[in-house]
Amino acid sequence: MIFELLKLCIEKGASDLHFKTGYSPILRIDGNMVSIKEMPVISQTDFEVMLEAILDDAQLVTFLKYSKLDLGYSFSSARFRVNLFNDFRGGNAVFRVIPFKQLSFNDIGLPQSGRRFAEKTSGLVLVTGATGAGKSTTLSAYITHINNTFAKTIITVEDPIEYLFEDRESIISQRQVGVDCSSFEEGIRGALKTDCDVLMVGELRNSEAVAMTLLAAESGKLVFATLHSNTAVQAIDRFVNLCPKNLHLQVMARLGAHLQGIVTQTLVPKKTGRGRVAAFEILVNTPSVRGLIAENRIHLIKSYLDAGQTSGMISLDNSLVDLITSNIISKEEGLLKANNRSYVKRKAEEFEQVPGEETK
C-alpha cells in the first residue's frame, strides 16, 4: 500500500502524505488536506508492514525503542522526509515530498537582494518561516547556486538529510544528525575542524547550536541556518531567546556583527488554483540595522523593512502586494497572509484604480 500511495503523492503534486492508523490516507495538495476515500482505512498491521518496507534493521529497532523516528527516504522520482510516531490509536507517518531536482533562485522566485547572500564569503544567513513554508527548498537553492558557481567546500548538518547534492564546482559533504554526528552542535563543531567554506545547519534548536553557529560565522565561514518564525524581527527574537537570558546582550552584539541577512517566507495559493508561490521578506543587515540589533532595539527594524527598498530590503506585506498586482495571487489570499491587512488592501486597491478604469 505505501508504495502505491507514495506514487500517487508524486503524481498528484502533493506536498505531504499522512498515513495514520484508523483513517484513510490523506494528501496535502496546495495546502489543502484531501482524503483518499477510495483507499481502505489504515490498520495497525498496515502501519507495521509499512515500517518493514521503508526502514532498515537499525531504524526499526530505534523506532520500536523510542516510538518516534525522523528519516529521509528515496522512492521513484522523489525523496521524502519521513516523521514516524505513535499516538493512542496506533502508528502515524507523515511523508514530506522533496523533489530530486534542486530548484534555482528563478524557480522559487527569490528576490535579487536575497540571492546576493550566496555571494558572501562569511557571516550568517537565517532562512525562516512556519513549518511547511519551503525553508528547506530555499536552503537547497542557495547550496545549488554556490555548488554551480563557486569552487567551495560545503558541509551540511541535517536531521534528516533532505535534498541530495552532487559535487560540481564545489565539494559537498552531507552529515545526518544521529547517524554521522550525535547532534547539530557536534556536527557544527566537526565542520569547524575541516577546510570548510560554507556550512548549512538544518535547524537551530537550542542554545548550544546557536553558540556554535555564531562561532562558525565568526571564524570566517558562510553559514546558512533555519528557524521557525513568521517575520524577520521575530527571527532575531527567537534566535536570541534560544540562549540563556544572561547571555542575551552578548548574543545580540555577536549577531549584529556577523548577520548578513534574514530571508523569511510563506507559501500562498496561486490565483490559477494550481500550486503555491512563495512571498519573501528580506532583511539586509545594513549598518543601521546592525546598530539596532547590537543595542537591542529590534522593534525599530520594521520601519527599515518597510522603507528599505534602496538597500534591497523587502517586507512581507510589500511582497504580497507585488504578487497581487502581478495577478499571481488573489487579493483575498494575500490578505490572509498579511501582517498589516489594511496596508496590503489599500495598496492593492490603489493599483486597481488606475486612470481610465472604473473604480472598484
Side-chain angles (χ1 to χ4, degrees):
M1 177 188 289
I2 187 58
F3 299 122
E4 183 181 353
L5 286 169
L6 294 179
K7 182 179 179 183
L8 182 65
C9 192
I10 298 168
E11 292 173 348
K12 294 286 188 181
S15 61
D16 301 86
L17 162 66
H18 291 259
F19 192 86
K20 178 178 173 66
T21 300
Y23 294 85
S24 296
I26 298 173
L27 299 179
R28 186 182 289 276
I29 302 175
D30 296 335
N32 300 312
M33 302 290 277
V34 180
S35 180
I36 311 301
K37 298 295 187 183
E38 60 269 26
M39 296 290 288
V41 170
I42 297 164
S43 67
Q44 182 62 22
T45 299
D46 293 327
F47 182 81
E48 292 168 0
V49 169
M50 180 274 295
L51 293 179
E52 293 178 358
I54 71 168
L55 301 184
D56 60 31
D57 291 344
Q59 290 170 331
L60 186 57
V61 168
T62 299
F63 177 73
L64 293 176
K65 181 178 181 180
Y66 297 105
S67 295
K68 63 178 182 178
L69 182 67
D70 293 320
L71 68 144
Y73 184 74
S74 299
F75 172 79
S76 184
S77 60
R79 185 167 169 81
F80 296 84
R81 183 176 67 203
V82 188
N83 174 242
L84 305 172
F85 61 97
N86 286 330
D87 67 11
F88 73 96
R89 286 191 177 91
N92 291 254
V94 181
F95 292 77
R96 166 66 53 85
V97 180
I98 306 167
F100 274 136
K101 177 189 175 185
Q102 279 86 38
L103 301 181
S104 68
F105 289 150
N106 286 337
D107 292 328
I108 66 175
L110 184 67
Q112 288 295 330
S113 56
R115 302 180 189 198
R116 286 194 284 269
F117 295 143
E119 299 170 4
K120 303 296 183 181
T121 56
S122 64
L124 174 63
V125 179
L126 294 176
V127 177
T128 79
T131 300
K135 299 186 295 295
S136 296
T137 302
T138 298
L139 279 181
S140 168
Y142 276 114
I143 298 303
T144 296
H145 178 80
I146 295 170
N147 187 27
N148 290 339
T149 310
F150 304 107
K152 303 279 190 179
T153 300
I154 303 170
I155 293 180
T156 75
V157 184
E158 307 171 68
D159 183 21
I161 291 173
E162 298 187 7
Y163 289 90
L164 299 175
F165 301 100
E166 296 292 335
D167 293 357
R168 293 183 181 174
E169 295 299 318
S170 294
I171 298 173
I172 305 179
S173 300
Q174 295 183 256
R175 306 188 71 194
Q176 181 165 313
V177 174
V179 178
D180 306 305
C181 52
S182 61
S183 63
F184 277 106
E185 49 271 26
E186 194 273 328
I188 299 168
R189 186 177 293 107
L192 292 177
K193 298 178 181 178
T194 69
D195 180 28
C196 169
D197 300 302
V198 179
L199 174 63
M200 188 191 91
V201 181
E203 185 179 349
L204 297 177
R205 297 177 178 174
N206 54 45
S207 61
E208 291 81 9
V210 167
M212 292 305 302
T213 298
L214 280 173
L215 181 60
E218 290 167 342
S219 68
K221 317 295 184 189
L222 177 59
V223 184
F224 295 89
T226 69
L227 275 174
H228 293 290
S229 77
N230 294 321
T231 69
V233 173
Q234 286 180 11
I236 297 172
D237 263 333
R238 178 158 176 75
F239 184 92
V240 174
N241 285 325
L242 284 172
C243 301
K245 194 169 183 178
N246 64 309
L247 296 178
H248 282 190
L249 291 179
Q250 182 187 39
V251 172
M252 281 283 193
R254 296 171 70 192
L255 179 63
H258 297 284
L259 180 70
Q260 291 289 356
I262 300 175
V263 178
T264 302
Q265 61 191 81
T266 187
L267 294 178
V268 189
K270 291 182 179 179
K271 199 170 185 178
T272 60
R274 294 180 60 84
R276 292 182 291 174
V277 64
F280 291 97
E281 180 166 275
I282 308 293
L283 175 69
V284 180
N285 193 20
T286 62
S288 298
V289 171
R290 184 176 299 113
L292 292 177
I293 295 174
E295 295 166 9
N296 195 17
R297 295 193 294 163
I298 60 175
H299 61 284
L300 299 177
I301 291 176
K302 187 179 184 304
S303 62
Y304 285 85
L305 272 169
D306 293 336
Q309 293 177 343
T310 56
S311 58
M313 287 195 255
I314 305 169
S315 71
L316 176 64
D317 289 334
N318 281 325
S319 180
L320 290 168
V321 169
D322 288 343
L323 291 172
I324 292 170
T325 56
S326 299
N327 207 33
I328 297 173
I329 66 173
S330 68
K331 182 169 68 177
E332 293 72 24
E333 290 290 352
L335 291 175
L336 287 174
K337 298 292 186 178
N339 292 321
N340 186 337
R341 293 185 181 181
S342 61
Y343 172 82
V344 172
K345 184 173 185 291
R346 175 169 56 82
K347 298 297 287 187
E349 289 175 349
E350 285 176 3
F351 182 83
E352 292 172 347
Q353 296 172 8
V354 295
E357 288 192 6
E358 181 178 344
T359 301
K360 298 181 182 179

